[in-house]
Amino acid sequence: MENEAVAPATRVVAPRASAGFEYTFPAIRGIQAGREYYVSMCPLRVIPKIFTFDEDELSAELRAQRILNKGRLPALSKYILDNPDDYVFSALTASVDGIMEFESHSPDGTGFRTGQLRIPMDSRFLINDGQHRRAAIELALKENPDLGEETIAVVFFHDAGLARSQQMFADLNRHAIRPARSIGVLYDHRDPSSQVVRVMAGRSRIFKGYVEMEKSNLSARSRMMFTLSALYYGTQSLLQGLTFKHEAAVDLAQSYWEEIDKALPEWAMVRERELSATEMRRDFIHSHGIALHALGRIGNSLFRESVAPSKWKKQLAPLKTVDWTRSNTDWEGRAIVGGRVSKSHQNVTLTVNYLRIHLGLELSPEEQRVEDAYLRGDA
């Protein structure tokens, strides 16, 4: 191999095949658990070419990865393509079954940790963490090849065998915790429904100061009446398929929920401190996610028929006579299963059906199918 000048530390150098059939990556050397590992930046265009999946046809005990869930790929790829100026992907982690030769910039000091990582091209690169990101990148590149010059961080470990690779997969995922949906809504500035709910929660008299913005479950002593995630799903179902500009959507959603508030006196009692939020959540179901989701679906069908407030507000009037108490046996099997509020899709539909019937509204064919199954005892 011919000697080449070392690239400046601030310059990203694409991996290349040398005369000795090697990939050369600019890299930083580190130590974990007494083992060297290396961090580099790889152009997206080379990711599908050099990083492979574990074989899907092998049984689980002979693989070091889960089977690729291809159903996740379109959404991940769309995320990249729809947000070319601000998408974010975390680093891939890969094991290299082959020789890794690191040439540091200097024998000591900071230069000892930076340099060139050389890996023979016939080495096998196995992704330990990030297989869906890798597949989504490949899919996105087919639609937008210009993305190929962008980079993603890659952490290289030496492949110490199947057992070590399996342990790496287990360790990398052992403590991975998906953030609560509420904080995801709070921080999501792309999703229109998230934007509507955040504004509404901050300015509506019925929600301001009574929405848990970070957690998706309320503790027994919480003074909050709703979670942001529950309000999000309720409002998302309310506006589903409707086209409004942002401010109009906020106004319509806020108007709807404030009308619902008039039919649920316990909400006002909590705000006026005549009833604690704890007592309300304990004895009633109307502030729970399933009720908000169901009420959102009811509103969506009313809006599709007419957005005239005089009409849909009149149609909501019978809600005042709904018995929302947990002790109402009508909720068992619909909103409550085994004494606990259920948020399953089927239970949401059964709760919607109950409210539609109470309001004198027709059920859709799918809702009727679910209702018939419930009445037969099949649900």
Side-chain angles (χ1 to χ4, degrees):
M1 246 185 103
E2 296 180 4
N3 292 328
E4 292 185 10
V6 175
T10 56
R11 180 183 172 201
V12 176
V13 181
R16 58 172 177 76
S18 70
F21 301 102
E22 295 176 324
Y23 289 116
T24 301
F25 301 88
I28 300 173
R29 171 166 47 189
I31 301 289
Q32 279 188 10
R35 297 183 177 91
E36 284 193 0
Y37 70 98
Y38 310 93
V39 181
S40 184
M41 299 293 159
C42 290
L44 297 187
R45 59 183 166 78
V46 307
I47 295 299
K49 298 176 182 177
I50 65 176
F51 293 98
T52 61
F53 297 126
D54 212 343
E55 290 79 9
D56 286 353
E57 62 269 17
L58 294 178
S59 60
E61 63 270 19
L62 297 179
R63 283 187 275 111
Q65 256 289 9
R66 73 190 91 183
I67 293 177
L68 189 71
N69 181 354
K70 295 181 180 179
R72 292 179 55 189
L73 303 185
L76 278 172
S77 176
K78 186 175 186 296
Y79 164 69
I80 304 172
L81 295 168
D82 289 353
N83 303 283
D85 297 326
D86 61 355
Y87 73 91
V88 179
F89 267 176
S90 56
L92 305 177
T93 301
S95 294
V96 180
D97 184 6
I99 298 171
M100 292 195 292
E101 182 181 351
F102 184 77
E103 297 178 359
S104 58
H105 288 160
S106 64
D108 50 31
T110 57
F112 179 73
R113 294 193 297 271
T114 62
Q116 302 287 336
L117 179 63
R118 301 185 186 281
I119 304 174
M121 291 184 69
D122 59 359
S123 298
R124 184 166 178 260
F125 297 78
L126 176 65
I127 292 182
N128 301 107
D129 183 58
Q131 62 170 349
H132 290 92
R133 273 164 277 158
R134 177 252 182 237
I137 288 169
E138 181 177 18
L139 201 59
L141 286 172
K142 292 178 180 178
E143 292 195 39
N144 184 3
D146 291 342
L147 291 168
E149 297 307 311
E150 300 200 0
T151 59
I152 187 170
V154 180
V155 182
F156 293 101
F157 289 88
H158 184 261
D159 189 341
L162 177 62
R164 174 61 181 166
S165 292
Q166 289 177 336
Q167 188 63 56
M168 286 177 64
F169 175 83
D171 290 347
L172 287 166
N173 289 278
R174 184 187 306 275
H175 302 295
I177 300 176
R178 187 171 183 172
R181 182 58 183 148
S182 285
I183 200 168
V185 172
L186 182 64
Y187 291 167
D188 192 341
H189 296 272
R190 292 195 182 96
D191 180 14
S193 295
S194 294
Q195 296 174 28
V196 168
V197 170
R198 281 198 307 274
V199 173
M200 187 174 63
R203 81 180 191 188
S204 173
R205 62 178 178 80
I206 66 172
F207 296 125
K208 189 174 183 179
Y210 291 97
V211 177
E212 170 54 60
M213 306 295 281
E214 189 169 346
K215 301 174 183 177
S216 293
N217 292 292
L218 297 175
S219 65
R221 294 187 175 185
S222 175
R223 67 178 187 83
M224 300 298 175
M225 291 199 289
F226 318 95
T227 64
L228 188 63
S229 58
L231 186 57
Y232 169 83
Y233 287 118
T235 303
Q236 184 186 52
S237 64
L238 175 68
L239 301 176
Q240 184 71 38
L242 304 178
T243 304
F244 293 98
K245 292 184 178 179
H246 171 69
E247 194 59 35
V250 174
D251 290 342
L252 182 61
Q254 183 171 329
S255 175
Y256 179 78
W257 290 119
E258 290 180 352
E259 192 65 25
I260 294 296
D261 177 66
K262 295 177 183 178
L264 306 176
E266 292 80 20
W267 288 11
M269 291 173 66
V270 173
R271 295 196 301 272
E272 294 165 7
R273 300 188 179 182
E274 297 174 5
L275 180 71
S276 72
T278 298
E279 292 171 325
M280 184 198 68
R281 295 194 311 273
R282 182 194 64 201
D283 298 335
F284 299 85
I285 69 166
H286 46 44
S287 70
H288 288 260
I290 188 173
L292 297 181
H293 195 162
L295 288 167
R297 280 176 52 176
I298 294 291
N300 182 264
S301 61
L302 296 180
F303 289 164
R304 288 178 181 276
E305 295 174 6
S306 173
V307 292
S310 59
K311 185 173 182 180
W312 60 257
K313 288 183 179 181
K314 183 178 180 180
Q315 290 175 296
L316 287 174
L319 280 178
K320 295 178 181 179
T321 60
V322 172
D323 183 357
W324 292 94
T325 60
R326 282 176 178 260
S327 58
N328 177 8
T329 55
D330 288 346
W331 296 123
E332 183 59 40
R334 291 186 184 270
I336 297 175
V337 177
R340 298 176 63 87
V341 175
S342 170
K343 295 184 288 186
S344 74
H345 177 75
Q346 178 173 276
N347 288 114
V348 170
T349 298
L350 289 170
T351 302
V352 169
N353 292 353
Y354 183 80
L355 296 177
R356 285 201 195 285
I357 294 169
H358 195 89
L359 296 175
L361 303 175
E362 291 186 2
L363 305 185
S364 70
E366 175 60 20
E367 289 167 347
Q368 188 64 60
R369 184 192 67 77
V370 174
E371 185 70 16
D372 290 344
Y374 171 75
L375 294 176
R376 291 195 307 266
D378 297 340

